[in-house]
Amino acid sequence: MPDIRKLLWPNSVAIVGASSDTRGLRGRIVQILRSHPYKGAVYPVSRGETEVQGLKAYKSVADLPPTDLAALIIPAKFVPQELEACGKAGIKAAIILSSGFAEEKGETGPALQREVQRIAKQYDMAVSGPNGEGFTNTAAALCPTFSPAMDPGDVPLLPPAEHTRGQVAVISQSGGMGYAFFDHGRPKELSFRYIVTTGNEACLAASDFAEFIIDEGKTNAILMLIEDLKDRATFERMAAKALRAGIPLIINRLGASEAGARAILAHTAARGDDAEYRALFRRYGVIESDDLDEMVDFAAAFILMGKRLPASYRVAIASSSGGGGAWVADACAISGLDMPVLDDATRAKIDVYLPPYGCSQNPVDVTAQAIHERGYAEFARLAAESPNVDGVILVVTGRHPRFLLEDREHLIALGRDSKKPVLLWSYTRPAAVCVDLLSEAGLPLFTNVHNCARAMCVMADYRAARAAFLKG
Amino acid sequence: MPDIRKLLWPNSVAIVGASSDTRGLRGRIVQILRSHPYKGAVYPVSRGETEVQGLKAYKSVADLPPTDLAALIIPAKFVPQELEACGKAGIKAAIILSSGFAEEKGETGPALQREVQRIAKQYDMAVSGPNGEGFTNTAAALCPTFSPAMDPGDVPLLPPAEHTRGQVAVISQSGGMGYAFFDHGRPKELSFRYIVTTGNEACLAASDFAEFIIDEGKTNAILMLIEDLKDRATFERMAAKALRAGIPLIINRLGASEAGARAILAHTAARGDDAEYRALFRRYGVIESDDLDEMVDFAAAFILMGKRLPASYRVAIASSSGGGGAWVADACAISGLDMPVLDDATRAKIDVYLPPYGCSQNPVDVTAQAIHERGYAEFARLAAESPNVDGVILVVTGRHPRFLLEDREHLIALGRDSKKPVLLWSYTRPAAVCVDLLSEAGLPLFTNVHNCARAMCVMADYRAARAAFLKG
């Protein structure tokens, strides 16, 4: 097994095919790489240019100083010879961003891919791709990719460290989709450790990267988008490790439909049987989802509430909006959650604060008036104390920050002290200060009601699957 | 039947219970009302203050100049006497924002609600509420509500008129949820004509408002959140009118689950049988959805593509991302759409532009390279010409605007000339300029893949339901 650490944590990176033209992908990769504070050396390799974007360019791979990783972004037909040059130069890791391999019609592309496999094996190189979009290692500020999601100046790669309760890794065959997870999750203050796009997986596959990441022990949830599994034994070993470590695998396998299967065959030459995948995933407590937003929301919920997963499927709902409470109740029922009426002792404690038109049954219709007087957190705290429930969904409106901000200390205490999971659904688009505050409090904030309800449900599923697995 | 026009289009509004304290709801309603350029007169009525927020205040309803609409925001027990005073003063419309009526435990609240009904009938008044959150009429810039969604300074009430292809109305028993539709839809450049929140519906019900809005003929889609139907005959008459006029009703009925039913009973004293609703909705081509984001997305799709609904369920997918194409194909299959392989003539026209690793089958894997060279629009246009399909889903990345902006003229032509519906899914969060451009082009932009696929599906459903209904 080649050394993935050389690939994800190189001290130096060569860009083979680098260009000064930042309108093209070969220029973009250099531009993006240099726009982040990566501490290693960057060596452009260019046949035509002596300097690329202010960096000295090398004529060929053979001229390079000692290099850990080569990123190849050149026409497919030149990839084998350059990869071989890398191998001869002692470069132990490569990513191939070029397309035109096994996914191409005809004989040439697949033959080139077999060449890549042969060379990687011969020189014991860790090779990712071809037909990938590179990767990102946020801790190293290393982004050898042309993904526009890695353009700087929008949001920093990482949210504030003091709010970070854990990190997520993305592993995706599709480059565009892989970086789309980051694009959707980062504004929600989700902290990404890696985004790895694996393309055709001629050599290293998603499971190999996942296993490295699990063994490394710094990632708390893994989002995977796969088109097929190259090696089932590796997947099983990896998935077992993940489940033992309590690192949820949140996976969408593309190609479940006939047209989807046609698409992945054309995209990365992938094939697979849906029923087999389902059975395999079930065995290892994999959380399946076919919705990008939902997958990101699940990851956030596990990162913040993973140490207090619901013991079962009984949930309390507390809402400032009566309609909002009913809506989330319907969503919970669709997800398979139960909403038992709260016990009398808990109801009595809640009733003290409610106006006569409020209701403490479940959903707790707290009413706007009681929220104005007591804030949100107290009602979630009281509901969570009911022995009849295993978790709480708190319905808020995050558009106007006043009632959340005034409740700051209690929300932070709730996030810190609650022994049961508390998830928040904001039925309005939350203001940035509310996102910040709830991130600081470690309370998962959902804007989609079904994602919120389903998150509670899959957390309970995962707890049960893990318990069964550990029991053997 | 009392005159709803007096309620929604008053020349003068009295706020009974108005206050100078803008931290409370009685002050907020005046503040919000005055922050929009409503041309009519606003008369605060206050027992304690002679001036409210710079306006002369009236001691009692009896002192008011002739007034069209009264908004009552006073404790429930005073509502009947003030409503009666309104009736005596010749005020023909009222909204009651107070809570504490039929939704309250015990006898007092329900008795107060019966009093409201009696007075409204006696004076032939159009009365909305109680327990509502008021309404908004954007054309009149009239917002008698305390909803924070109507705070000015964030986005204007209406998007640019030149981009507006049609308007949507919201009718919701829940105030918080009613305005949540606006909050979610407005940033997507959806144009709202009315947001009406109806609360307990003691007098006027959602169907009454919907019928007024349909008769008025200026609204192209109606979003409804209902807890129950007060009068089935009115609903059926209204729904038949809507279907005849081609105005889709997009409805979520809360309370489908046991806990949801418990919640709506406590919220607005509503009850209902789910199976009955389902059958009723099916008869009139009602589009049911239990997801707020999806409902808003459906409305946008109908507004922009309502004149070219898909003839059937066959869809072409064109994508710059291979993984994105596969993802949308799976989503389409889940929705019940078909994705036949395109006909040879269409494929030949597309193949001219594709690199060898692209694919024109369906999904069309356009590849980023071909998008860079030809833009997005041309591929959607070509795919739509295939006799094998009834609509097109175009997968784009809206984060970096370059390729969409460079394709501006073609996208506008596509939105204008396409005879089949074209929906766009952006797998990254679209930049504001892209939202603007696609709004100008009249192309519906989705950020959730399932909402996109389901929109195509419900448009085909609606076309079929309407055809069957018109045939009798």
Side-chain angles (χ1 to χ4, degrees):
Chain A
M1 181 72 182
D3 187 3
I4 289 182
R5 175 161 297 274
K6 278 270 194 269
L7 195 156
L8 291 179
W9 288 90
N11 290 313
S12 48
V13 183
I15 309 293
V16 182
S19 164
S20 298
D21 176 9
T22 55
R23 283 181 63 94
L25 299 181
R26 301 190 296 114
R28 294 272 297 136
I29 186 172
V30 179
Q31 185 184 34
I32 289 172
L33 191 53
R34 298 206 62 213
S35 65
H36 297 279
Y38 170 58
K39 291 214 176 69
V42 176
Y43 306 129
V45 176
S46 167
R47 280 198 281 188
E49 305 183 66
T50 55
E51 192 184 296
V52 169
Q53 301 182 41
L55 292 174
K56 178 193 166 183
Y58 295 81
K59 262 254 147 344
S60 78
V61 168
D63 298 336
L64 285 170
T67 299
D68 285 340
L69 171 68
L72 275 61
I73 183 161
I74 49 178
K77 63 181 172 184
F78 299 124
V79 164
Q81 70 194 57
E82 294 302 315
L83 189 65
E84 183 130 37
C86 290
K88 285 184 176 155
I91 299 174
K92 286 296 182 193
I95 55 175
I96 302 169
L97 295 93
S98 324
S99 298
F101 291 84
E103 82 283 10
E104 191 166 297
K105 291 169 288 287
E107 269 314 298
T108 316
L112 288 170
Q113 181 152 329
R114 286 191 298 273
E115 271 293 281
V116 164
Q117 287 166 324
R118 183 192 60 76
I119 296 162
K121 194 161 181 188
Q122 182 180 339
Y123 293 94
D124 188 31
M125 294 171 80
V127 174
S128 180
N131 194 20
E133 208 164 306
F135 71 91
T136 292
N137 169 345
T138 57
L142 171 63
C143 308
T145 177
F146 50 78
S147 169
M150 288 298 109
D151 267 336
D154 192 350
V155 283
L157 287 182
L158 288 166
E162 63 273 21
H163 292 187
T164 300
R165 305 305 202 282
Q167 290 197 293
V168 65
V170 174
I171 307 169
S172 169
Q173 287 192 252
S174 164
M177 295 301 113
Y179 280 101
F181 286 102
F182 175 85
D183 183 66
H184 284 245
R186 186 57 194 82
K188 298 182 178 179
E189 299 292 31
L190 196 60
S191 181
F192 291 80
R193 184 166 175 84
Y194 300 107
I195 302 119
V196 181
T197 73
T198 56
N200 291 4
E201 302 189 341
C203 307
L204 291 171
S207 299
D208 299 314
F209 285 102
E211 191 171 16
F212 173 84
I213 288 167
I214 293 160
D215 288 343
E216 190 192 42
K218 302 211 167 175
T219 298
N220 308 84
I222 300 179
L223 290 164
M224 292 177 79
L225 181 64
I226 60 177
E227 305 191 4
D228 64 355
L229 293 177
K230 301 300 175 202
D231 179 57
R232 184 160 161 161
T234 308
F235 178 85
E236 295 205 48
R237 188 178 64 234
M238 177 279 290
K241 274 187 186 179
L243 191 54
R244 203 167 296 122
I247 300 169
L249 302 176
I250 302 162
I251 301 186
N252 186 16
R253 189 189 80 87
L254 295 177
S257 69
E258 190 193 318
R262 225 164 40 219
I264 61 168
L265 183 60
H267 182 226
T268 59
R271 300 163 200 273
D273 176 296
D274 198 50
E276 258 184 56
Y277 278 105
R278 284 275 144 82
L280 181 63
F281 289 163
R282 203 168 309 119
R283 194 167 322 139
Y284 293 99
V286 165
I287 296 149
E288 280 197 87
S289 168
D290 54 27
D291 186 292
L292 200 155
D293 298 304
E294 183 182 83
M295 291 173 77
V296 166
D297 281 343
F298 284 177
F302 272 100
I303 293 230
L304 297 176
M305 293 288 154
K307 301 278 178 232
R308 40 197 156 171
L309 297 173
S312 181
Y313 296 87
R314 304 169 309 160
V315 66
I317 298 163
S319 177
S320 58
S321 157
W327 202 319
V328 78
D330 283 347
C332 285
I334 292 168
S335 290
L337 295 166
D338 299 322
M339 287 137 290
V341 171
L342 300 185
D343 63 291
D344 290 343
T346 302
R347 290 190 65 173
K349 284 184 218 161
I350 293 173
D351 281 336
V352 172
Y353 302 128
L354 299 191
Y357 55 89
C359 182
S360 62
Q361 49 183 19
N362 188 21
V364 180
D365 187 358
V366 179
T367 78
Q369 185 185 316
I371 297 289
H372 290 199
E373 290 166 5
R374 309 287 315 175
Y376 284 108
E378 178 67 359
F379 294 101
R381 191 185 69 78
L382 288 171
E385 281 181 3
S386 172
N388 292 6
V389 302
D390 309 300
V392 174
I393 293 177
L394 179 63
V395 181
V396 305
T397 171
R399 180 181 160 88
H400 277 256
R402 183 177 138 206
F403 296 112
L404 285 165
L405 292 184
E406 287 181 356
D407 207 24
R408 183 169 181 277
E409 293 310 318
H410 296 120
L411 289 164
I412 288 171
L414 178 69
R416 187 187 55 224
D417 301 333
S418 176
K419 295 201 168 34
K420 296 176 184 172
V422 178
L423 309 183
L424 273 66
W425 173 46
S426 174
Y427 55 85
T428 50
R429 291 171 301 120
V433 285
C434 293
V435 175
D436 280 353
L437 165 59
L438 296 169
S439 165
E440 183 187 356
L443 291 167
L445 174 63
F446 296 79
T447 56
N448 182 283
V449 68
H450 294 283
N451 293 2
C452 181
R454 292 241 315 131
M456 189 68 84
C457 195
V458 299
M459 287 196 299
D461 287 344
Y462 186 74
R463 179 171 169 149
R466 185 156 181 257
F469 179 82
L470 293 178
K471 226 170 79 180
Chain B
M1 179 72 184
D3 187 3
I4 289 181
R5 176 162 296 276
K6 279 272 194 269
L7 195 156
L8 291 178
W9 288 89
N11 290 313
S12 47
V13 183
I15 309 295
V16 182
S19 163
S20 298
D21 177 8
T22 55
R23 281 183 64 95
L25 300 180
R26 300 190 296 113
R28 294 273 297 136
I29 186 171
V30 179
Q31 186 185 33
I32 288 172
L33 191 53
R34 298 205 62 214
S35 65
H36 296 280
Y38 170 58
K39 291 215 176 65
V42 176
Y43 306 129
V45 177
S46 167
R47 280 199 280 186
E49 304 185 64
T50 55
E51 192 184 294
V52 169
Q53 300 181 41
L55 293 172
K56 178 192 166 182
Y58 295 83
K59 263 253 149 340
S60 78
V61 167
D63 299 335
L64 286 169
T67 300
D68 285 341
L69 171 68
L72 276 62
I73 184 161
I74 49 179
K77 62 181 172 183
F78 299 125
V79 163
Q81 71 195 55
E82 293 302 315
L83 189 65
E84 184 129 39
C86 290
K88 285 184 176 154
I91 299 174
K92 286 295 182 195
I95 55 175
I96 302 170
L97 294 93
S98 325
S99 298
F101 292 84
E103 82 282 11
E104 192 166 295
K105 291 167 289 285
E107 270 313 298
T108 317
L112 288 169
Q113 182 152 327
R114 286 191 298 272
E115 270 295 280
V116 164
Q117 287 166 325
R118 183 192 61 74
I119 296 162
K121 195 161 182 190
Q122 182 182 338
Y123 294 94
D124 188 32
M125 294 170 79
V127 174
S128 180
N131 195 20
E133 208 163 307
F135 71 90
T136 292
N137 169 345
T138 58
L142 172 62
C143 308
T145 176
F146 51 77
S147 169
M150 289 297 108
D151 268 335
D154 191 352
V155 283
L157 287 182
L158 289 165
E162 65 272 22
H163 292 187
T164 300
R165 305 303 204 283
Q167 289 196 293
V168 65
V170 173
I171 306 170
S172 169
Q173 287 192 251
S174 164
M177 294 301 114
Y179 280 100
F181 285 104
F182 175 86
D183 183 66
H184 284 244
R186 185 60 192 80
K188 295 182 178 180
E189 298 292 32
L190 197 60
S191 181
F192 291 80
R193 184 166 174 84
Y194 299 107
I195 301 116
V196 182
T197 74
T198 56
N200 290 4
E201 302 190 342
C203 307
L204 291 171
S207 299
D208 300 313
F209 284 103
E211 191 170 17
F212 172 85
I213 288 166
I214 293 160
D215 289 343
E216 190 192 43
K218 301 211 167 175
T219 297
N220 308 83
I222 299 179
L223 290 164
M224 291 176 80
L225 181 64
I226 59 176
E227 305 191 4
D228 63 354
L229 293 176
K230 302 298 174 200
D231 179 59
R232 184 161 161 158
T234 308
F235 178 85
E236 294 204 49
R237 188 177 65 235
M238 176 281 289
K241 275 187 185 180
L243 192 53
R244 204 168 294 119
I247 300 169
L249 301 176
I250 302 162
I251 302 186
N252 185 16
R253 187 188 83 85
L254 295 177
S257 69
E258 190 194 317
R262 226 164 39 218
I264 61 169
L265 183 60
H267 182 225
T268 60
R271 298 163 200 274
D273 175 297
D274 199 51
E276 260 184 55
Y277 279 105
R278 283 275 144 82
L280 181 63
F281 289 162
R282 203 169 307 118
R283 195 169 320 138
Y284 294 98
V286 164
I287 296 148
E288 280 198 87
S289 168
D290 54 27
D291 186 293
L292 201 155
D293 298 304
E294 183 183 82
M295 291 173 79
V296 165
D297 280 343
F298 284 177
F302 272 99
I303 295 239
L304 297 176
M305 292 288 153
K307 302 280 178 230
R308 40 197 154 168
L309 297 173
S312 181
Y313 297 86
R314 304 169 310 161
V315 65
I317 297 162
S319 178
S320 58
S321 156
W327 202 319
V328 78
D330 283 347
C332 285
I334 291 168
S335 290
L337 295 166
D338 299 321
M339 287 137 289
V341 171
L342 300 185
D343 62 291
D344 290 344
T346 303
R347 291 190 65 171
K349 285 184 218 161
I350 292 173
D351 280 336
V352 171
Y353 302 129
L354 299 191
Y357 55 90
C359 183
S360 63
Q361 48 181 19
N362 188 21
V364 180
D365 186 358
V366 178
T367 77
Q369 184 185 319
I371 297 288
H372 290 199
E373 288 166 6
R374 310 287 315 176
Y376 284 108
E378 178 68 358
F379 294 100
R381 191 185 70 77
L382 287 171
E385 281 181 4
S386 171
N388 292 8
V389 302
D390 308 299
V392 174
I393 292 176
L394 179 62
V395 181
V396 306
T397 172
R399 179 181 160 91
H400 277 254
R402 182 176 140 207
F403 296 112
L404 285 165
L405 293 183
E406 286 181 357
D407 206 24
R408 184 168 180 278
E409 294 310 318
H410 296 121
L411 288 165
I412 288 171
L414 178 68
R416 187 186 58 223
D417 302 333
S418 176
K419 295 200 169 36
K420 296 177 185 171
V422 178
L423 309 183
L424 272 67
W425 173 46
S426 174
Y427 55 85
T428 50
R429 291 170 301 121
V433 286
C434 294
V435 175
D436 281 354
L437 166 59
L438 295 170
S439 165
E440 182 186 357
L443 291 167
L445 174 63
F446 297 78
T447 56
N448 182 283
V449 68
H450 294 281
N451 293 1
C452 180
R454 293 241 315 132
M456 189 68 86
C457 195
V458 298
M459 289 197 296
D461 288 342
Y462 186 74
R463 179 172 169 150
R466 184 157 182 256
F469 179 82
L470 294 178
K471 227 171 78 181

